[in-house]
Amino acid sequence: RPMVGPFFGPRQYMDVGSGSASNQLLPVAGDPRSGTKARPVKTEPPVSQDEAKKLLHGRLDWLRFNRDSKWLDQSDITSMEWLGAPGACSSNRTSNEEPWQHPGFAFQVPVHAIRVRLASLPDHKKLWDVIFSGKPGDDYTVMNTATPVGGLMPTFPEFCPPVPKNAKYELRLTDLADDPRDSLFDERLTLSVRDEVARSRRLASWIFGVE
């Protein structure tokens, strides 16, 4: 199966069929169907990827899953790629070349359509609510540039520093079947900040806003 990361690659384009999602997707800036032009909104963090990789012993994940998933094989949602610059975070990761930018997901089983929800904890503030089905990706994979087919909040917002040292997020993954009784899973996973982030003065200054 193709890997989903890190950082948007490699990408493969394979047909997985049509989706069964019912939520209507509203046009947003950068969606070719809306007739609007996207603006580049990727923010530049104060710590480069190379420096962060050294500080985190070769890895670029600032978040970690608190347990193994029964259904998700891998995701780059934990990567610093999705962490914004303090005071300049994007609520809509997009560009003219790639209207939709968001974390990618690879599953352990084939999925026809998948609903992804992200919320902060413990307040359960909804951050992302999106449905994917179809290209790009294969039966197991949602690629970083896949266009949503539905969802209440389809554009992905950057994680925005400063965040609390004990910040946690809930990632909910729901298999959408034509008949809800045939759904394979509706799994909730918790993401929390890696301990190594707090031990690095440079990263703590950026992510937590502390010196």
Side-chain angles (χ1 to χ4, degrees):
R1 299 200 296 272
M3 303 289 284
V4 299
F7 309 116
F8 304 100
R11 299 189 182 107
Q12 298 184 16
Y13 295 81
M14 290 170 281
D15 188 16
V16 297
S18 60
S20 59
S22 59
N23 289 24
Q24 182 180 5
L25 178 65
L26 300 177
V28 297
D31 184 348
R33 293 168 293 179
S34 71
T36 60
K37 185 177 181 180
R39 62 193 187 285
V41 291
K42 171 71 175 81
T43 60
E44 292 301 325
V47 178
S48 70
Q49 291 182 11
D50 288 341
E51 182 180 359
K53 202 168 185 177
K54 291 178 181 178
L55 294 170
L56 292 176
H57 310 291
R59 296 178 58 184
L60 282 167
D61 298 318
W62 74 285
L63 293 172
R64 63 178 179 86
F65 287 97
N66 285 15
R67 65 172 176 84
D68 291 336
S69 169
K70 295 180 180 179
W71 304 99
L72 182 67
D73 186 34
Q74 59 175 309
S75 174
D76 63 350
I77 195 171
T78 57
S79 169
M80 288 183 177
E81 171 68 21
W82 312 110
L83 188 63
C89 298
S90 168
S91 61
N92 177 12
R93 280 289 298 270
T94 186
S95 71
N96 291 330
E97 294 76 21
E98 296 176 332
W100 298 96
Q101 296 180 8
H102 50 72
F105 302 89
F107 294 90
Q108 299 179 36
V109 296
V111 292
H112 181 64
I114 190 79
R115 183 178 184 183
V116 180
R117 281 167 281 189
L118 180 69
S120 59
L121 295 175
D123 57 357
H124 291 277
K125 179 182 178 181
K126 187 178 294 185
L127 304 174
W128 194 32
D129 185 341
V130 63
I131 297 171
F132 294 107
S133 179
K135 296 181 180 180
D138 63 7
D139 289 341
Y140 295 85
T141 309
V142 175
M143 303 302 289
N144 296 113
T145 55
T147 299
V149 299
L152 302 177
M153 300 174 67
T155 57
F156 184 79
E158 291 180 319
F159 293 100
C160 196
V163 301
K165 289 184 178 181
N166 61 346
K168 292 185 178 181
Y169 304 91
E170 181 183 78
L171 178 66
R172 184 176 179 182
L173 304 169
T174 307
D175 174 54
L176 297 181
D178 293 328
D179 186 335
R181 292 173 296 182
D182 296 330
S183 176
L184 290 176
F185 57 86
D186 183 12
E187 186 174 44
R188 298 171 189 258
L189 301 168
T190 301
L191 302 170
S192 58
V193 180
R194 287 181 59 197
D195 294 337
E196 294 89 339
V197 172
R199 291 197 288 265
S200 166
R201 181 175 297 180
R202 284 279 289 150
L203 295 177
S205 176
W206 164 23
I207 297 173
F208 305 133
V210 297
E211 298 296 335

